[in-house]
Amino acid sequence: MRKVVRAGLAATALVACGFLCGSLQAQMPVARGPNLQVEAEQLFALANQARAEAGAPRLKWDPALAAAALQHCQRMAAEGPIAHQYRGEPELTARAAAAGAHFGLIEENVAVGPTPAAIHESWMQSPGHRTNLLNPEVDRVGVAVVNNRGVLYAVADYEKATPVLDAADVERRIAGLVAVSGVRAAGGSAEARAACASDHGMPRGADGVEAGFVMRWQDAELNHLPEALTSRLASGRYRRAAVGSCPAHSSEGSFTVYRVAVLLY
């Protein structure tokens, strides 16, 4: 079985969620079998071999994802029938975030089989699982394998990692992107940070001049500007910009996202 969850460019990150999403409370049976590290590393190596053959970038091992994968793999081995979420268990994004992962896209493959090679082959023969495994957008993976009564249960969690940045780092990045347009940009202004924290209103600068345009957004990606802002910058109507960052508003699904406001004058 496979699952894919992605953060969206929006006021609130969007989540496609399956199975029993919610805060169901129940006793959670867990098979306490240890992670079979050799078998997990075999699946990791097979995945990177397949990605190399497909022209996809090599995956890096992520300890946080591996910890999240093991937690779910133990639960899966205890339950018997495989699934991405069981009653009372957090969903994928919450499990990964609680383990310390930071991501804007996360995917999961689960399987049961006799050997790592057989599990890998079953993933490669399934279009959805193959898409997850070979996805060029993901760059990290954590794998767990648990043996229960001679059967191997496997979980592979893939992510597109998001860097952990403070507000000043975010503002510098966005100011750099704005400056490429020829509009003078400054990060960290009080009015831009105040605009970031609010959902509406046209703030004034320190000189009392009202901004001509305000763009507020949040996203896991900081390598491009929203299309509406890019269009305004290209209009030639503005001479300077103020950039502010603030804590993201509610981001469903535990994604690592950043909230930004850009004021144009």
Side-chain angles (χ1 to χ4, degrees):
M1 300 178 70
R2 68 184 284 260
K3 184 172 185 178
V4 182
V5 191
R6 180 190 300 268
L9 173 59
T12 301
L14 302 176
V15 172
C17 191
F19 292 92
L20 297 172
C21 288
S23 56
L24 298 174
Q25 299 299 318
Q27 186 66 27
M28 294 170 54
V30 176
R32 296 297 180 186
N35 187 24
L36 301 180
Q37 191 63 37
V38 172
E39 286 78 358
E41 290 176 356
Q42 287 176 347
L43 282 173
F44 175 56
L46 288 168
N48 272 326
Q49 179 180 331
R51 287 174 68 87
E53 293 171 356
R58 180 179 178 81
L59 295 172
K60 295 181 180 179
W61 182 269
D62 190 294
L65 285 181
L70 176 58
Q71 180 186 44
H72 183 63
C73 196
Q74 289 174 330
R75 178 69 187 273
M76 198 165 66
E79 294 281 356
I82 62 175
H84 291 287
Q85 186 179 8
Y86 298 98
R87 181 176 295 273
E89 182 185 34
E91 49 88 28
L92 172 59
T93 62
R95 295 196 303 265
H102 296 272
F103 48 87
L105 164 67
I106 189 163
E107 309 172 338
E108 182 173 82
N109 281 354
V110 300
V112 60
T115 65
I119 290 170
H120 173 76
E121 184 62 23
S122 72
W123 285 342
M124 291 297 290
Q125 293 302 317
S126 165
H129 294 86
R130 180 186 178 92
T131 296
N132 278 359
L133 195 153
L134 299 181
N135 186 352
E137 288 190 71
V138 299
D139 51 22
R140 297 191 181 189
V141 66
V143 184
V145 180
V146 171
N147 186 325
N148 192 17
R149 299 180 180 179
V151 177
L152 298 183
Y153 291 80
V155 176
D157 288 341
Y158 314 89
E159 72 176 8
K160 182 175 184 179
T162 297
V164 181
L165 305 173
D166 62 21
D169 291 329
V170 173
E171 290 162 355
R172 280 192 291 271
R173 288 196 179 198
I174 298 301
L177 293 175
V178 170
V180 170
S181 69
V183 175
R184 179 168 54 88
S189 70
E191 63 269 23
R193 289 181 173 176
C196 179
S198 68
D199 284 322
H200 58 275
M202 195 69 76
R204 295 181 182 275
D207 55 5
V209 176
E210 185 176 80
F213 178 78
V214 178
M215 183 76 198
R216 301 175 177 89
W217 78 98
Q218 61 187 51
D219 196 6
E221 298 288 341
L222 294 176
N223 54 12
H224 63 275
L225 300 174
E227 184 176 348
L229 177 57
T230 301
S231 177
R232 289 281 182 156
L233 289 168
S235 70
R237 296 170 54 189
Y238 306 100
R239 294 292 176 264
R240 65 183 179 91
V243 180
S245 181
C246 60
H249 290 190
S250 176
S251 175
E252 184 182 356
S254 302
F255 292 102
T256 298
V257 296
Y258 301 100
R259 185 169 177 83
V260 188
V262 173
L263 282 55
L264 300 183
Y265 297 93

